[in-house]
Amino acid sequence: GAGVSQSPRYKVAKRGQDVALRCDPISGHVSLFWYQQALGQGPEFLTYFQNEAQLDKSGLPSDRFFAERPEGSVSTLKIQRTQQEDSAVYLCASSSPGMRGQETQYFGPGTRLLVL
Amino acid sequence: RKEVEQDPGPFNVPEGATVAFNCTYSNSASQSFFWYRQDCRKEPKLLMSVYSSGNEDGRFTAQLNRASQYISLLIRDSKLSDSATYLCVVNGPGGSYIPTFGRGTSLIVHP
């Protein structure tokens, strides 16, 4: 069956450019997470949605980062005025309802962002 | 101190060896624990959840030690295909939905 998909898979941006990263979660999955993964590190939490509600955005590194999930399905992570330190892999994960904190997360392949 | 700490390795072992990784966490109220596997340039995938009583899945055994605040992963009879990075994941207290990942432990199994 279809898993989590992300697009684009690769993005090269010039410093100062705005970018938009898309995530299509598994159909029916209520929860959606965005992570940032730097080389040699584990994924770092950015933000969390339950349906269309953004319940936690405490991991967003600055106000240049914005995420939305207007219809409770597809989500977009937008980064304005990109900086070199934004270069990383951006992972999206979704999960189905289950005992809170025990849901398995299914990850997409990620978007590799390189800011020059 | 990071919330979840792992030895990055790499652990270099021959096929057939037994290898163990530990992961320590700082929040004593953490509720749920997982091991994920991440292949090079791929996304993480759930390997196994870690239960208080410990659990086993084939060659893999996971254990939780709440008193010392660590979880472990034991891999027996290592295969070449086990080569990957193993990520420890801890969810917060009260069923918090925010997972904290360790930086991962790299395992290389050689012939």
Side-chain angles (χ1 to χ4, degrees):
Chain A
V4 178
S5 61
Q6 292 186 246
S7 60
R9 292 292 309 278
Y10 303 90
K11 177 69 180 177
V12 179
K14 292 182 179 178
R15 191 162 60 93
Q17 186 179 347
D18 297 350
V19 298
L21 313 180
R22 177 187 168 108
C23 172
D24 280 86
I26 294 172
S27 177
H29 278 193
V30 167
S31 300
L32 186 146
F33 299 78
W34 282 99
Y35 296 89
Q36 181 189 62
Q37 186 172 24
L39 192 63
Q41 301 297 319
E44 295 277 347
F45 170 81
L46 294 177
T47 187
Y48 163 71
F49 290 86
Q50 191 170 91
N51 295 305
E52 69 278 4
Q54 188 175 21
L55 298 187
D56 194 303
K57 54 182 181 179
S58 62
L60 296 177
S62 76
D63 58 8
R64 296 186 295 104
F65 287 71
F66 171 77
E68 61 182 3
R69 193 186 185 197
E71 296 178 1
S73 178
V74 171
S75 177
T76 303
L77 176 68
K78 297 179 180 177
I79 309 174
Q80 297 177 321
R81 304 181 303 281
T82 51
Q83 304 293 314
Q84 287 184 322
E85 62 262 28
D86 300 335
S87 297
V89 176
Y90 290 85
L91 292 164
C92 173
S94 70
S95 64
S96 59
M99 191 169 74
R100 193 173 183 193
Q102 288 287 348
E103 302 96 333
T104 298
Q105 293 196 31
Y106 296 88
F107 283 82
T111 294
R112 293 181 179 277
L113 174 65
L114 176 62
V115 182
L116 302 176
Chain B
R1 183 184 172 190
K2 293 199 72 172
E3 289 184 48
V4 178
E5 296 204 50
Q6 294 183 253
D7 179 348
F11 285 64
N12 222 308
V13 303
E15 269 187 292
T18 295
V19 61
F21 314 131
N22 279 352
C23 164
T24 59
Y25 59 95
S26 60
N27 190 333
S28 60
S30 296
Q31 294 283 320
S32 48
F33 310 88
F34 308 88
W35 284 102
Y36 277 71
R37 171 192 169 131
Q38 186 171 28
D39 292 292
C40 187
R41 300 180 72 83
K42 298 286 190 180
E43 70 272 23
K45 292 183 179 178
L46 179 69
L47 179 65
M48 56 200 308
S49 302
V50 187
Y51 304 120
S52 297
S53 55
N55 47 308
E56 188 173 312
D57 183 2
R59 299 181 294 108
F60 298 84
T61 301
Q63 293 201 314
L64 167 63
N65 185 317
R66 284 194 183 273
S68 300
Q69 293 181 212
Y70 74 85
I71 66 172
S72 63
L73 178 67
L74 180 77
I75 305 175
R76 289 180 298 278
D77 188 23
S78 299
K79 310 292 185 191
L80 296 177
S81 57
D82 293 335
S83 298
T85 296
Y86 291 83
L87 297 162
C88 168
V89 185
V90 176
N91 278 12
S96 168
Y97 44 71
I98 299 178
T100 301
F101 282 74
R103 65 176 294 181
T105 296
S106 175
L107 172 65
I108 301 170
V109 182
H110 58 83

